[in-house]
Amino acid sequence: MKPVVQVFSFDLVSKLLLGVMGLALIRFMPEVEYARYTLALSISSTISQILTSSFNRIYIVGYQRLPFGGALSLLGVQLWIVAALAILMYPLAKSIEGSYWFAMILILATCLLDFSKTFYQRELKFTRFSIIELARSLAFVITLLPLIYFVRYSIRAWQVIALQAVVMIIVFSLFFNKHLDLRQLLKVSDTSRFARAVVKSDYKYLVGYFSILAVFSQIDVFILKIMTDDQTLATYGSAFRYYSLLSLALGAVHVVLLPLIQKLESATEFDHLMVKQRKLLVLFAPLVLIAAGVSKWVLPWIDHGKYPDAVAVFRILCISTLVSFTFSPYVNLVMRFEDFKFLLIVVGIGLLLSVSLNLMLIPVLKAVGTAITTLTTFGLINGLIFLRAKKHRNALVPLPEYNS
């Protein structure tokens, strides 16, 4: 699993840089601004995940079957959708005062940067993929540090979001410039032909799956915003930031496994791949347990005691991380067999369960209730996908035995 180690190593440095900056924001950003920042990121993450996860995944698993009209037609679809949503969602501007348009620009920037990474991922150029992410992180650190130094405890949400967006656009331009053709990117005929092909195929279920999954992954923040106060929202947002640091290992595994599983020819090859993944789990699990153990002292030191419930929330999310690392890689095999309708149904059930549990637990346990909901629903989804993947594994054609 050399590519996994490579991607993980680069991603580790990248995410550690972003993680340190994230911890600095928890420390210096006022509670109200951090709650606003959490909500703005959730909105931008929901939309960008719908677009990047679904369309970029289609680029990898469906490139030979769909009429792309060039790779940029896929990116063009995303950009046109962002432009339309920016107008349609304008009534939400008041909920994230002063940050709405910056959040929309961040969505646009995320689509650009993620597509450049996916372009190299499909080509199995994982070094290039990793360098782009590292460059983004370094540039963000370089620009954010002066802001923290001069503004200190008065950092505004819109300032950080604007920096993130500008950095992404610059890195995209530097690393993807030679492949960029604005005429092809904005060519309506190519983008519309590709969009129609997706709607007419089973790939529409994949888009639906990632759309619901994106809402599902952020629904807890939206419900907390509606049902609680800024303090509770900021508490969960801070704990989720620590949890995101642990999840970077899972992201590295998915980046490498998706294109590799597309090329598998036998169940034996798949089993060997999963054995290597389980070896990574043996290394990863102790780190998670250590992080959960020391959180009692580390988290209050970072946030100056502003979010006392963050420790309990983080520890519950640590368990969720282990569950996801163990079972979620199997989703790549389900996608290999284009079983998109099943994925759509499963994540739809997960979303309904998440809303129901959040409505029951938040009034009693607040942010802790949301963490329990996250663990329960992610566990259900990953378990069902694992069982489905085991069936698809048996459908892989075995390699013929060698007779000496």
Side-chain angles (χ1 to χ4, degrees):
M1 295 294 280
K2 182 179 177 181
V4 172
V5 175
Q6 174 188 300
V7 172
F8 176 73
S9 300
F10 276 84
D11 210 36
L12 177 62
V13 176
S14 172
K15 291 299 192 298
L16 284 177
L17 290 172
L18 293 177
V20 171
M21 291 300 97
L23 300 183
L25 292 176
I26 293 173
R27 188 179 185 89
F28 289 102
M29 190 175 283
E31 290 93 325
V32 173
E33 284 297 322
Y34 196 79
R36 191 172 295 159
Y37 178 63
T38 298
L39 181 61
L41 282 187
S42 292
I43 293 175
S44 62
S45 294
T46 299
I47 298 174
S48 60
Q49 283 180 30
I50 290 173
L51 298 176
T52 61
S53 296
S54 56
F55 289 113
N56 291 352
R57 199 63 62 94
I58 288 174
Y59 179 56
I60 294 177
V61 302
Y63 189 81
Q64 302 298 330
R65 303 190 182 194
L66 296 174
F68 276 86
L72 290 177
S73 62
L74 182 143
L75 180 58
V77 171
Q78 298 179 50
L79 299 186
W80 285 115
I81 293 175
V82 171
L85 289 176
I87 298 173
L88 295 174
M89 294 179 59
Y90 183 70
L92 294 176
K94 291 183 179 180
S95 63
I96 46 175
E97 300 173 15
S99 301
Y100 178 77
W101 288 111
F102 293 104
M104 294 299 109
I105 296 173
L106 181 60
I107 295 170
L108 175 67
T110 302
C111 289
L112 293 173
L113 189 72
D114 278 12
F115 179 78
S116 66
K117 292 165 58 180
T118 303
F119 181 85
Y120 293 114
Q121 180 189 2
R122 184 182 178 276
E123 301 295 322
L124 302 182
K125 296 179 179 178
F126 296 115
T127 300
R128 191 79 170 179
F129 174 97
S130 301
I131 289 175
I132 291 175
E133 182 62 25
L134 183 59
R136 185 275 292 259
S137 301
L138 284 171
F140 182 57
V141 170
I142 293 171
T143 53
L144 183 59
L145 280 177
L147 177 65
I148 294 176
Y149 179 79
F150 288 108
V151 180
R152 302 286 288 180
Y153 293 97
S154 300
I155 299 177
R156 302 288 300 277
W158 71 265
Q159 295 169 335
V160 180
I161 295 171
L163 281 179
Q164 288 177 287
V166 170
V167 162
M168 287 184 180
I169 292 173
I170 292 175
V171 173
F172 167 80
S173 301
L174 291 175
F175 285 90
F176 201 73
N177 182 58
K178 66 178 181 179
H179 301 290
L180 192 59
D181 184 343
L182 292 179
R183 288 183 299 179
Q184 183 184 357
L185 178 63
L186 301 176
K187 194 173 182 180
V188 177
S189 59
D190 284 346
T191 56
S192 61
R193 184 168 64 254
F194 167 73
R196 288 196 300 270
V198 170
V199 171
K200 293 179 180 179
S201 69
D202 283 347
Y203 286 95
K204 61 178 176 288
Y205 299 118
L206 182 63
V207 175
Y209 163 71
F210 279 113
S211 298
I212 297 178
L213 182 63
V215 175
F216 166 71
S217 65
Q218 301 295 330
I219 192 66
D220 45 10
V221 172
F222 300 141
I223 296 177
L224 281 172
K225 172 64 178 177
I226 295 172
M227 298 184 65
T228 64
D229 52 19
D230 288 337
Q231 174 69 24
T232 302
L233 179 57
T235 295
Y236 185 77
S238 65
F240 200 86
R241 193 67 52 208
Y242 307 126
Y243 161 76
S244 298
L245 284 175
L246 295 178
S247 298
L248 67 91
L250 178 61
V253 171
H254 277 296
V255 164
V256 176
L257 285 186
L258 178 61
L260 288 180
I261 287 177
Q262 296 302 308
K263 301 178 184 297
L264 290 180
E265 297 180 356
S266 72
T268 303
E269 289 181 342
F270 175 75
D271 291 342
H272 288 166
L273 203 58
M274 290 299 99
V275 167
K276 293 178 180 179
Q277 187 267 339
R278 285 192 288 273
K279 289 180 180 179
L280 293 176
L281 174 62
V282 172
L283 298 175
F284 178 63
L287 297 177
V288 175
L289 296 177
I290 292 172
V294 302
S295 62
K296 180 180 179 180
W297 299 280
V298 175
L299 270 58
W301 176 79
I302 293 173
D303 62 28
H304 287 301
K306 290 186 293 186
Y307 311 118
D309 291 338
V311 174
V313 174
F314 173 69
R315 287 177 170 175
I316 295 170
L317 293 178
C318 283
I319 302 174
S320 180
T321 302
L322 292 176
V323 172
S324 295
F325 195 97
T326 303
F327 297 107
S328 68
Y330 287 87
V331 73
N332 296 292
L333 183 61
V334 178
M335 289 185 181
R336 156 74 181 267
F337 283 87
E338 300 184 358
D339 197 356
F340 305 136
K341 186 181 293 187
F342 168 79
L343 292 175
L344 176 62
I345 294 172
V346 167
V347 78
I349 294 172
L351 178 60
L352 292 175
L353 179 61
S354 178
V355 172
S356 301
L357 288 179
N358 272 312
L359 292 176
M360 289 189 293
L361 296 179
I362 287 177
V364 180
L365 301 174
K366 295 190 176 181
V368 173
T370 297
I372 294 173
T373 297
T374 299
L375 170 60
T376 303
T377 52
F378 269 102
L380 173 66
I381 290 176
N382 284 317
L384 292 175
I385 289 176
F386 170 75
L387 294 176
R388 189 74 164 193
K390 298 295 284 186
K391 293 182 178 180
H392 286 307
R393 178 261 179 209
N394 297 329
L396 288 169
V397 178
L399 291 174
E401 294 184 4
Y402 175 73
N403 296 316
S404 57

